[in-house]
Amino acid sequence: MKAYAIAYLRNVRMGADIVEYLERIDDTLAPYDGHFIVHGAGPESVEGEWEGAPIVIEFPDYDHLRGWYESAAYREILPLRTRNSDGVVIFVEGVDRSHKATDVLA
């Protein structure tokens, strides 16, 4: 089942560290078959308040996601982001295309 790293970043302070992080993150994703599916687009808030940037990275499964996040290559660049932004990052497994809302009731 596909898995997703989802970030809600606020107060991103653009500078040399963030630029370096952006220049290096794709190389950390490649060995784990991770790729951005949401990144850089400004969201349209249709319910409630939203301030920040949504980012979603897709992986083939949870093991690939965990492997990427815990890899030495990603751990090396992670402080470049965390020192220069505020936010929340979560990991979540996806559902297949046959999933129905009522499946969570089972």
Side-chain angles (χ1 to χ4, degrees):
M1 192 68 56
K2 292 189 185 209
Y4 301 89
I6 302 172
Y8 168 41
L9 299 182
R10 299 173 311 281
N11 305 316
V12 177
R13 295 169 290 284
M14 289 304 289
D17 281 354
I18 292 292
V19 169
E20 181 179 350
Y21 178 85
L22 293 171
E23 290 173 344
R24 295 176 60 189
I25 190 170
D26 291 318
D27 288 341
T28 71
L29 293 168
Y32 301 93
D33 200 19
H35 63 277
F36 289 96
I37 60 172
V38 175
H39 190 240
E44 175 187 2
S45 180
V46 295
E47 293 184 25
E49 299 287 324
W50 182 282
E51 295 178 23
I55 297 149
V56 181
I57 304 172
E58 182 180 77
F59 293 86
D61 55 43
Y62 205 85
D63 288 340
H64 280 79
L65 186 161
R66 247 315 152 192
W68 163 73
Y69 190 77
E70 295 171 359
S71 71
Y74 187 66
R75 287 292 168 180
E76 185 177 313
I77 67 168
L78 180 59
L80 299 171
R81 177 181 56 79
T82 58
R83 286 191 310 247
N84 295 285
S85 65
D86 302 315
V88 176
V89 175
I90 64 168
F91 296 165
V92 64
E93 283 188 304
V95 296
D96 63 36
R97 293 183 65 88
S98 67
H99 179 85
K100 303 288 185 222
T102 54
D103 291 350
V104 300
L105 301 176

